[in-house]
Amino acid sequence: MAASDDMPETQPKGWTPADSLGHGALKGIKVLDLSRILAGPTCTQLLGDLGAHVLKVENPKTGGDDTRQWGPPYVSDADGNRSDLSAYFMAANRNKRSIALDIATVEGQDIIRRLAAEADILVENFKPGGLAKYGLDYASLRADFPQLIYCSISGYGQTGPNSSKPGYDLMAQGYGGIMSLTGDPEGQPVKAGVGIADVMCGMYATIGILAALHHKEKTREGQQIDLALVDAQVAWLINEGVAYLNTGQNPTRRGNEHPSIVPYGLYETSDAHVILAVGNDSQFRRFMEFLSLEGLAEDPRFASNPARLQFRDALNDILIPALKRFTMDEVIAGMETRKVPAGPVQTLDRVFASDQVAAREMAIEMQSSAGPVQLLGNPLNFSRTPVTYRMAPPQCGSDTQEILSSDTPFAER
């Protein structure tokens, strides 16, 4: 169907059509967020970006979410005073309102139950059984709120011999195997540079919640989602995990090289490193043409990817000195001309100065109670129900009075 005036093919994130849902596809969905640190907040921020109204519950005795203290850097107010808005906290807590509440008290528990009565979704990441003593676990709430979708995120899950153990991203990366695959072959196992196990767990949580919402729409029935940080990490071992299951052989660390494709990795040029991702034999022939090594494309050791895998070291012995005859820009330009994937390793200053990041709106500014803050954009682009950036990350408890005094605490803002 051709695009028309009321159905454009593509629109930027900030665009809102007259007949759209205004706040996104999840407008009207109410989320009670009892999570902290990264996995749960990543999930609830995604739901908030999609239009859901999120109330974040924070413990006033500890100063709120743990990550409020995980700095520097912090945002300073107009007088130069440090706020509780650390960069770490802000990365996963926009589009939420904050209520400071001590759930260890009867009053706090009563308020949570009142909010749960209105909520569609509750997200928590206490240790299994941690909320039972307050009467706020799924079994306690299910009888009174059968339509509630209750997402429980923990280190190892609600069952299993490790269920009582706490979980952090680094532990999950180690226990779940990804660290054994990452790093220099002769060096130590290495974690990813960011909390990727937490982030992936938050994304799985979002997918599970959306599926549970669909089920609830059809049946008016809520349910519990039991999600473990380690389970999510094991799931994204992808090809390496499946290869082990089918061979029984532990994969070895290969640094920046690929277990199944050659050449595919990081190479030195005369002035910088360059990434090459030569994914098939025709690309390899064009790559060899650029290096003036056309004969290698016909060499039986290198003519096919399975052969190149077998003779990986021999090929690298040729490629490494050959690439050092060129600058990084020369290699990238030569590969782009020949339609062979290649690119730079950019530092963050170059990433956020790039025209591509600007065009895709992947860096945004919002006005917080402490002043303007710079945040990462949401990568989702919708033609009819765009993501919205309605509320900057809140300071701890900044919305407590408004929420508690309102007859409609989940009212849209």
Side-chain angles (χ1 to χ4, degrees):
M1 182 169 62
S4 64
D5 290 340
D6 63 339
M7 187 174 289
E9 290 182 356
T10 58
Q11 294 290 349
K13 292 173 184 169
W15 178 78
T16 304
D19 60 343
S20 80
L21 298 184
H23 281 180
L26 297 185
K27 180 183 179 182
I29 297 297
K30 303 167 185 176
V31 181
L32 183 57
D33 184 5
L34 273 64
S35 70
R36 66 272 190 209
I37 304 183
L38 189 54
T42 292
C43 166
T44 51
Q45 176 169 275
L46 282 170
L47 297 173
D49 285 357
L50 296 175
H53 194 96
V54 183
L55 298 188
K56 182 179 180 70
V57 178
E58 302 192 70
N59 186 350
K61 290 184 175 179
T62 62
D65 191 307
D66 300 37
T67 61
R68 289 188 183 276
Q69 307 302 320
W70 290 8
Y74 301 93
V75 174
S76 296
D77 63 21
D79 297 323
N81 300 312
R82 196 192 89 180
S83 73
D84 63 357
L85 297 178
S86 69
Y88 206 117
F89 175 82
M90 292 192 297
N93 285 286
R94 68 166 165 254
N95 283 336
K96 305 176 186 181
R97 296 160 71 202
S98 172
I99 175 172
L101 204 60
D102 184 358
I103 65 172
T105 66
V106 173
E107 179 187 14
Q109 294 155 22
D110 288 343
I111 292 171
I112 292 294
R113 292 183 68 86
R114 178 165 69 86
L115 295 173
E118 293 194 42
D120 298 288
I121 301 156
L122 185 152
V123 179
E124 58 92 5
N125 62 347
F126 287 74
K127 285 194 295 185
L131 288 175
K133 59 187 175 184
Y134 306 131
L136 299 177
D137 58 316
Y138 178 64
S140 300
L141 295 181
R142 177 178 52 187
D144 292 333
F145 314 118
Q147 296 183 46
L148 182 65
I149 295 168
Y150 191 107
C151 181
S152 297
I153 298 172
S154 59
Y156 291 89
Q158 303 295 306
T159 59
N162 292 344
S163 61
S164 63
K165 294 182 179 181
Y168 283 87
D169 177 90
L170 180 59
M171 173 281 304
Q173 290 197 40
Y175 193 94
I178 196 66
M179 282 180 68
S180 74
L181 307 179
T182 309
D184 187 271
E186 305 303 321
Q188 292 183 335
V190 176
K191 72 176 183 66
V194 295
I196 190 64
D198 270 323
V199 172
M200 286 300 300
C201 187
M203 294 178 71
Y204 277 113
T206 306
I207 294 167
I209 286 169
L210 295 178
L213 278 172
H214 183 66
H215 174 77
K216 177 182 171 180
E217 238 180 51
K218 296 187 295 181
T219 65
R220 300 183 63 80
E221 175 185 55
Q223 60 184 300
Q224 184 179 26
I225 301 166
D226 169 11
L227 182 59
L229 205 62
V230 168
D231 291 353
Q233 199 278 283
V234 171
W236 63 272
L237 289 173
I238 52 171
N239 57 299
E240 291 283 35
V242 173
Y244 168 77
L245 290 174
N246 284 277
T247 66
Q249 296 179 357
N250 279 318
T252 58
R253 293 194 300 279
R254 294 188 177 87
N256 291 306
E257 294 194 338
H258 197 284
S260 306
I261 307 172
V262 176
Y264 188 110
L266 189 69
Y267 291 86
E268 283 189 55
T269 66
S270 64
D271 64 343
H273 288 92
V274 68
I275 293 171
L276 293 170
V278 184
N280 57 52
D281 296 339
S282 62
Q283 289 179 356
F284 182 72
R285 286 192 293 273
R286 298 195 295 274
F287 178 37
M288 292 301 97
E289 174 193 311
F290 168 77
L291 294 177
S292 299
L293 295 172
E294 291 91 342
L296 290 185
E298 308 304 324
D299 189 317
R301 298 175 298 167
F302 311 130
S304 68
N305 187 65
R308 292 193 294 276
L309 283 170
Q310 184 178 355
F311 293 98
R312 180 196 298 264
D313 291 341
L315 179 58
N316 279 334
D317 285 344
I318 299 170
L319 296 184
I320 289 171
L323 284 162
K324 288 181 179 178
R325 295 188 287 111
F326 301 90
T327 65
M328 181 191 73
D329 287 341
E330 288 171 339
V331 173
I332 292 175
M335 295 300 96
E336 288 181 349
T337 299
R338 293 164 175 81
K339 301 190 182 304
V340 178
V345 180
Q346 298 198 124
T347 52
L348 297 196
D349 57 333
R350 293 176 64 91
V351 171
F352 290 110
S354 69
D355 293 342
Q356 183 66 23
V357 164
R360 300 294 292 178
E361 299 180 41
M362 287 307 302
I364 64 170
E365 180 175 286
M366 298 188 75
Q367 186 66 37
S368 77
S369 56
V373 295
Q374 312 298 317
L375 303 173
L376 301 177
N378 188 305
L380 292 168
N381 289 275
F382 296 85
S383 64
R384 302 304 280 172
T385 55
V387 300
T388 56
Y389 307 118
R390 306 180 306 283
M391 293 175 284
Q395 294 191 270
C396 182
S398 58
D399 304 291
T400 302
Q401 184 175 359
E402 179 185 2
I403 293 168
L404 294 183
S405 62
S406 174
D407 293 333
T408 54
F410 283 96
E412 294 288 350
R413 287 181 60 182

